[in-house]
Amino acid sequence: VGLSFAFLFISDVRTEPPAATGGRVPPAAVRYTLRFVGLVGWLWIVVQGIAGGSGTGDVATLFLWVYGWVGLAMLSAFVGPVWHWLDPFATLHDIAAAVLRRLGVAGWPLAELPPSLQRWPAVVGLCFFVWLELVGNALGTRALFVSLLGYTAFTLAMMAQFGRDEWRRDGETFGVWFGLLGRLAPFALVGDPHEGRVARRGFATGLLLPGWRVVDVVLVGIGTASILFDGISQTRPWADLLGIADVAGRTAQLFVFMGLLVLAALAV
């Protein structure tokens, strides 16, 4: 957060928005390696969740909160749209669609996500995952495994209803969140997302692209609030003021804190 402010102060971002044309598709070896890694990571979490076990070998916590929530966020902001190919939900959707085609099952007309709802499902999902990391971790790793299975089923259902790329762009939490962070990145998707073309641009010039909406500010506010709450809520002054809360109390603290920060962001 501090570095983002420093960048805005020392850099001249008064440039023209980057062109949304051109670009090239990354090599097949890169694309399929990322898809394989994403799918293996998802399968690893599922297999361990079914088999049981916890402790230092818990891959759900490692993959989701360390590699995913932190590592992928940094790659999305400082490199490019890695999640576009790493996304295991999209890979699972493509595998299921290929199997259904092989079985001769006909597709169905896709519905259109109402403009008034676009990206708001991602807001709900982001709030849930922030809660799961900062509060729900007290429930144990089993809750994380069950949440992943439930989210996978929900995401695949929504992709089948509204279209894979459409739901990734406007509904799926990680796709929307990493895409928002990707406005900073020096590499970005251009044109039809199904083609997967990537073009180079100036760092953070993606912030100048049109299309910013209130929901995007809400997402940024939630993400910033989660980082601040994670640090502040573990300090001695916070504990002295509010005491050591249980799951219900900490949930209330988290959502009040996020709500106030989101309102402040919208006011600005």
Side-chain angles (χ1 to χ4, degrees):
V1 174
L3 286 174
S4 66
F5 280 100
F7 171 80
L8 291 176
F9 278 120
I10 65 177
S11 301
D12 184 6
V13 295
R14 296 170 297 176
T15 60
E16 292 296 324
T21 58
R24 56 190 300 182
V25 178
V30 174
R31 303 196 313 272
Y32 288 111
T33 297
L34 287 174
R35 299 194 77 171
F36 176 77
V37 169
L39 184 60
V40 167
W42 183 88
L43 288 172
W44 197 342
I45 295 173
V46 171
V47 169
Q48 189 180 70
I50 295 174
S54 60
T56 56
D58 175 44
V59 295
T61 300
L62 182 64
F63 284 6
L64 293 176
W65 299 142
V66 180
Y67 296 160
W69 213 236
V70 178
L72 270 174
M74 294 185 67
L75 286 175
S76 298
F78 294 105
V79 179
V82 178
W83 178 254
H84 182 76
W85 293 280
L86 198 64
D87 181 358
F89 311 119
T91 302
L92 289 169
H93 172 275
D94 291 348
I95 292 174
V99 170
L100 291 176
R101 284 195 300 269
R102 179 62 65 91
L103 295 174
V105 178
W108 50 83
L110 297 176
E112 182 177 354
L113 186 66
S116 59
L117 292 181
Q118 288 178 359
R119 299 204 173 182
W120 287 107
V123 170
V124 176
L126 185 60
C127 288
F128 172 75
F129 283 109
V130 166
W131 175 86
L132 191 62
E133 180 192 14
L134 301 181
V135 180
N137 55 8
L139 302 177
T141 57
R142 196 67 182 174
L144 187 57
F145 166 67
V146 173
S147 298
L148 175 64
L149 288 185
Y151 185 75
T152 299
F154 173 76
T155 299
L156 293 178
M158 292 300 99
M159 286 181 173
Q161 178 71 11
F162 299 108
R164 187 195 70 168
D165 294 326
E166 289 74 14
W167 184 251
R168 295 173 81 188
R169 183 189 65 234
D170 290 321
E172 199 274 310
T173 300
F174 299 103
V176 172
W177 176 241
F178 291 141
L180 196 60
L181 294 176
R183 284 179 174 256
L184 292 167
F187 292 94
L189 290 171
V190 293
D192 186 350
H194 187 72
E195 298 176 356
R197 289 184 290 115
V198 176
R200 185 177 178 84
R201 66 188 182 190
F203 181 72
T205 55
L207 297 173
L208 303 175
L209 290 171
W212 285 97
R213 292 173 282 182
V214 170
V215 64
D216 297 319
V217 178
V218 172
L219 285 164
V220 172
I222 293 171
T224 305
S226 68
I227 297 171
L228 294 176
F229 182 86
D230 189 21
I232 295 174
S233 64
Q234 299 182 55
T235 62
R236 174 59 59 183
W238 182 281
D240 292 340
L241 179 63
L242 299 174
I244 305 300
D246 56 9
V247 171
R250 191 166 171 81
T251 297
Q253 292 176 5
L254 172 63
F255 281 98
V256 168
F257 187 87
M258 289 197 303
L260 291 175
L261 203 65
V262 167
L263 289 176
L266 292 173
V268 173

